[in-house]
């Protein structure tokens, strides 16, 4: 807070391009040396010289611009106080609907206890301090996540937490607030929802998403062995990276169509793997590939270390190359039989059961991102003035906001209910009973994202199509929400799965 107090009359005297002060949110800024550097040009600043520029500023800028240029603030208007609220690191947003209901002080929830709240605060602080700055940089320049950040996450058990509850967390005191044995699917949902607040969709996947969807299969399906211990330790400590390689150019939705083969050597000690994989997240920098292969009587899943014969090439997609999305070629790659996950020819169950946690994580992410878009729109509608009125004063705009808010609240409530069911089921029960509901939720959440992205761009106008400035978060969401609609199973496939799974329990019940 600036100490010097000034009057509006004093500010009014500094009203030329060579001596330019203005008032924003009751604070006084000396912009004299900034006039030539202003990205919007000198003329616009001269128009507000000596005046209160609060409305003009917020009509065109994000609050973060003021934070960036805080050093230009020279004082505060006598007897006045700044009104704009900016939450500090780790704090909750005061904007209505910007936080899920359970985090808002006036509401109650049956699901959450103090350990959930404590974890939420700790992860938010961590993400805002360490993840978000790097995420923004990498999203722009397309380079891969730094080893420094991976090490920091590993040290704080944030890699291990992203695999969901389980023995791999036991004996740990997670971020000093949750015992590993107590970590449940609601904690899991919380960490996932906090991580996506870095607002960098490519980086979100570049940040060990490959590990999140593949190490789960190793933990669940690889028999206990020194190899398993070594691999799990290497990956959870951040020394090695891992990805899930199922999809091929020939086989996406129809996993059964995959053509990569694993043939046993005559001595029965190895498989020889031949084939290709497409769109493999983190494939570019992975050391291990959890790979779906065709074997004589079915499918098998193998853990393949990077070695001679494994070739990865970058695929550019609509989000940043920081995700390390790869085309992979396996040319006669020799893999020990001990690297088999589950049983030979019975890999389908390994692949399918592993999908549940991946899809649950994706629901957490896209629902939280959708909420961020609601927050962006609510702020924007309260600051953008068109035809002499704030956008929020237009009934047509309020209708759009109502629709967006309703989608987000409904999806979050469904998500929390599913997380609660997961807490009360074994892995096998989840596979049997929750594959369908999780599929339906993911399918619906991305349809909601479609509606929300569409309305948000309209609300932001040209800025919703601009990669920097006011609409940058909306622009990114509109460009990338489809990743959640396709990856881990498409909307159509998951909607279909949801109904087919329900039909398995349909009694002979007539109208
Ligand atoms: C950026 C990116 C990252 C990815 N990361 C990974 C990864 O890490 N590991 C991995 O294994 N895979 C990954 N994938 C692959 C992803 O899972 C597939 O793209 C997805 O499963 C869809 O397969 P497909 O693209 O071949 O579409 P297709 O299977 O060719 O389907 C095309 C369209 O037809 C629709 N369709 C297909 N069958 C039906 C039906 N029966 N009824 C109605 N509609 C139908 C689909 O919904 C889809 O809209 C990634 C993909 C992308 C783009």
């Amino acid at each position: 807070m600036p100490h010097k107090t000034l009057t509006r009359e004093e500010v009014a005297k500094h009203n030329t391009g060579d001596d330019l002060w203005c008032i924003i949110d009751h604070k006084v800024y000396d912009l004299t040396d900034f006039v030539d550097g202003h990205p919007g040009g000198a003329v616009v600043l001269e128009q507000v010289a000596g005046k209160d520029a609060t409305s003009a500023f917020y009509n065109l800028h994000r609050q973060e611009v003021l934070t960036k240029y805080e050093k230009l603030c020279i004082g505060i208007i006598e007897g006045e106080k700044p009104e704009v609220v900016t939450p500090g690191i780790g704090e909750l947003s005061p904007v209505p609907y910007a936080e899920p209901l359970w985090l808002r002080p006036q509401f109650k929830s049956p699901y959450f206890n103090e350990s959930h709240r404590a974890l939420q605060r700790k992860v938010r602080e961590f993400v805002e301090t360490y993840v978000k700055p790097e995420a923004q940089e990498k999203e722009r320049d397309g380079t891969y996540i730094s080893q420094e950040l991976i090490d920091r996450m590993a040290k704080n058990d944030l890699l291990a937490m992203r695999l969901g509850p389980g023995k791999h967390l036991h004996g740990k005191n997670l971020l000093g607030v949750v015992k590993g044995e107590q970590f449940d699917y609601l904690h899991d949902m919380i960490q996932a929802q906090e991580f996506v607040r870095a607002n960098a969709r490519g980086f979100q996947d570049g940040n060990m998403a490959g590990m999140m969807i593949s190490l789960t299969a190793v933990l669940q399906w690889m028999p206990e062995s020194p190899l398993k211990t070594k691999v799990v330790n290497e990956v959870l400590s951040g020394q090695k990276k891992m990805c899930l390689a199922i999809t091929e150019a020939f086989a996406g939705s129809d996993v059964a169509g995959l053509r990569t083969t694993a043939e046993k050597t005559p001595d029965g000690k190895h498989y020889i793997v031949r084939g290709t994989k497409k769109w493999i997240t983190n494939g570019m920098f992975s050391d291990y590939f959890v790979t779906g292969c065709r074997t004589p009587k079915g499918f098998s899943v193998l853990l393949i270390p990077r070695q001679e014969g494994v070739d990865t090439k970058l695929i550019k997609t609509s989000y940043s190359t920081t995700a390390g999305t790869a085309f992979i070629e396996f040319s006669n790659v020799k893999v020990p039989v001990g690297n088999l996950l589950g049983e030979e020819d019975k890999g389908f169950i390994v692949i399918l059961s592993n999908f549940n946690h991946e899809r649950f994580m994706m629901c957490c992410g896209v629902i939280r991102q959708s909420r961020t878009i609601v927050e962006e729109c609510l702020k924007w509608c309260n600051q953008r003035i068109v035809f002499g009125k704030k956008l929020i004063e237009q009934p047509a705009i309020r209708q759009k906001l109502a629709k967006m808010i309703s989608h987000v609240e409904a999806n979050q409530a469904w998500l929390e209910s599913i997380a609660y069911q997961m807490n009360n089921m074994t892995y096998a029960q989840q596979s049997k009973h929750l594959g369908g509901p999780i599929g339906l939720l993911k399918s619906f959440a991305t349809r909601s994202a479609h509606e929300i992205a569409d309305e948000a761009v309209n609300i932001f106008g040209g800025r919703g199509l601009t990669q920097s400035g006011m609409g940058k978060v909306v622009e990114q969401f509109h460009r990338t929400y489809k990743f959640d609609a396709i990856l881990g199973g498409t909307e159509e496939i998951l909607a279909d799965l949801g109904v087919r799974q329900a039909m398995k329990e349909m009694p002979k019940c007539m109208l």
Side-chain angles (χ1 to χ4, degrees):
M1 181 82 82
H3 296 298
K4 192 168 160 188
T5 53
L6 297 154
T7 62
R8 286 181 179 264
E9 291 70 35
E10 277 174 287
V11 175
K13 290 178 198 155
H14 301 267
N15 59 1
T16 67
D18 298 329
D19 177 18
L20 200 162
W21 291 9
C22 72
I23 304 165
I24 302 170
D25 190 29
H26 310 278
K27 292 197 231 167
V28 182
Y29 292 80
D30 180 352
L31 304 182
T32 313
D33 294 335
F34 179 66
V35 177
D36 293 335
H38 182 230
V43 179
V44 216
L45 289 187
E46 283 164 19
Q47 286 167 353
V48 295
K51 298 183 188 158
D52 191 321
T54 308
S55 296
F57 176 82
Y58 285 112
N59 209 12
L60 301 171
H61 303 87
R62 300 179 71 87
Q63 177 67 17
E64 66 202 33
V65 175
L66 269 195
T67 314
K68 185 171 165 195
Y69 291 107
E70 193 58 34
K71 59 182 185 300
L72 301 179
C73 180
I74 55 166
I76 188 160
I77 298 293
E78 200 173 42
E80 299 183 16
K81 273 195 197 149
E83 291 174 78
V84 174
V85 186
T86 24
I89 294 277
E91 286 177 7
L92 296 178
S93 168
V95 174
Y97 298 105
E99 303 288 356
L101 205 111
W102 72 273
L103 279 176
R104 285 149 62 199
Q106 58 276 48
F107 296 98
K108 303 253 178 292
S109 163
Y111 299 131
F112 301 92
N113 59 37
E114 194 38 51
S115 75
H116 296 113
R117 291 174 198 283
L119 188 79
Q120 182 277 325
R121 282 193 291 272
K122 287 283 182 187
V123 181
R124 182 165 297 192
E125 265 171 39
F126 186 94
V127 169
E128 287 180 357
T129 310
Y130 302 112
V131 182
K132 192 168 182 180
E134 174 164 329
Q136 292 300 316
E137 186 192 319
K138 301 288 182 187
E139 191 73 24
R140 271 192 304 275
D141 72 17
T143 58
Y144 305 139
I145 185 169
S146 71
Q147 190 60 41
E148 191 189 342
L149 179 57
I150 297 173
D151 291 345
R152 199 184 285 277
M153 290 189 296
K155 200 169 139 226
N156 287 283
D157 299 314
L158 281 159
L159 296 183
M161 268 186 250
R162 280 149 75 191
L163 305 177
K167 284 194 196 127
H168 59 286
L169 296 177
H170 291 185
K172 294 177 188 287
N173 187 13
L174 304 168
L175 293 174
V177 292
V178 187
K179 296 264 173 297
E181 290 77 0
Q182 288 168 352
F183 186 92
D184 62 20
Y185 285 101
L186 289 158
H187 293 108
D188 195 20
M189 180 198 85
I190 289 166
Q191 65 76 21
Q193 295 209 305
E194 289 300 323
F195 260 90
V196 303
R197 292 180 82 261
N199 281 340
R201 189 62 189 83
F203 184 84
Q204 186 182 314
D205 283 355
N207 184 356
M208 306 292 103
M211 172 211 72
M212 197 167 75
I213 60 179
S214 57
L215 191 57
T216 40
V218 174
L219 287 175
Q220 192 63 36
W221 294 99
M222 198 170 196
E224 295 308 321
S225 64
L227 172 69
K228 178 174 176 178
T229 309
K230 171 177 165 288
V231 170
V232 171
N233 286 342
E234 283 173 342
V235 177
L236 288 184
S237 65
Q239 298 161 48
K240 294 274 168 89
K241 285 110 201 161
M242 185 179 272
C243 63
L244 182 71
I246 305 295
T247 307
E248 301 179 3
F250 315 101
S253 309
D254 181 11
V255 177
L258 59 86
R259 295 191 192 173
T260 294
T261 53
E263 241 176 81
K264 265 218 181 105
T265 50
D267 62 7
K269 290 184 179 163
H270 291 89
Y271 291 101
I272 301 295
V273 179
R274 288 170 60 82
T276 57
K277 295 287 168 184
K278 191 162 184 179
W279 296 303
I280 305 309
T281 303
N282 302 172
M284 289 306 294
F285 51 81
S286 280
D287 304 288
Y288 292 111
F289 303 82
V290 171
T291 309
C293 303
R294 186 173 279 283
T295 37
K297 293 189 197 134
F299 299 98
S300 302
V301 181
L302 292 177
L303 175 72
I304 305 182
R306 192 183 275 272
Q307 58 188 286
E308 210 186 318
V310 178
D311 185 35
T312 48
K313 289 195 192 81
L314 184 71
I315 301 177
K316 284 195 177 177
T317 67
S318 317
Y319 65 28
S320 172
T321 51
T322 188
T325 312
F327 181 83
I328 306 177
E329 197 172 352
F330 296 105
S331 317
N332 296 323
V333 176
K334 206 169 171 184
V335 183
V337 287
N339 287 28
L340 181 70
L341 307 190
E343 290 177 46
E344 188 176 277
D345 296 325
K346 293 189 180 155
F348 225 59
I349 181 73
V350 177
I351 298 173
L352 294 186
S353 60
N354 191 53
F355 271 141
N356 273 348
H357 189 254
E358 171 180 1
R359 291 170 183 162
F360 173 67
M361 288 286 98
M362 293 182 73
C363 292
C364 296
V366 72
I367 293 168
R368 190 60 184 81
Q369 280 169 337
S370 301
R371 185 179 292 282
T372 297
I373 298 303
V374 167
E375 179 179 11
E376 290 283 306
C377 288
L378 287 170
K379 285 182 180 165
W380 169 248
C381 291
N382 277 282
Q383 66 193 81
R384 178 65 174 170
I385 294 166
V386 188
F387 295 111
K389 280 184 181 171
K390 286 182 180 173
L391 273 182
I392 195 74
E393 290 174 49
Q394 305 290 352
I397 295 289
R398 293 199 295 273
Q399 290 297 316
K400 289 180 191 295
L401 292 169
K403 179 169 103 181
M404 295 161 78
I405 292 168
S406 307
H407 273 284
V408 170
E409 289 297 310
N411 282 323
Q412 179 73 23
W414 192 0
L415 177 69
E416 289 172 13
S417 158
I418 284 184
Y420 180 74
Q421 307 314 319
M422 290 169 86
N423 278 349
N424 290 287
M425 287 187 190
T426 62
Y427 187 81
Q429 286 169 329
Q430 286 178 27
S431 300
K432 183 161 181 223
H433 300 296
L434 289 181
I438 292 173
L440 287 178
L441 174 59
K442 180 172 174 296
S443 176
F444 186 70
T446 55
R447 276 289 92 195
S448 297
H450 173 79
E451 292 294 321
I452 290 168
D454 184 52
E455 296 291 18
V457 171
N458 284 9
I459 288 175
F460 268 76
R463 289 169 182 82
L465 300 170
T466 307
Q467 292 202 355
S468 58
M470 301 300 278
K472 65 180 184 181
V473 178
V474 165
E475 184 281 332
Q476 186 188 163
F477 186 68
H478 185 249
R479 174 163 44 84
T480 61
Y481 74 91
K482 275 289 172 193
F483 283 79
D484 296 293
I486 304 294
L487 278 58
T490 66
E491 268 170 17
E492 292 82 0
I493 293 296
L494 295 189
D496 185 57
L497 171 75
V499 177
R500 277 191 295 111
Q501 197 185 61
M503 288 309 100
K504 284 187 188 159
E505 289 168 21
M506 182 76 186
K508 209 169 173 75
C509 223
M510 303 301 170
L511 283 174

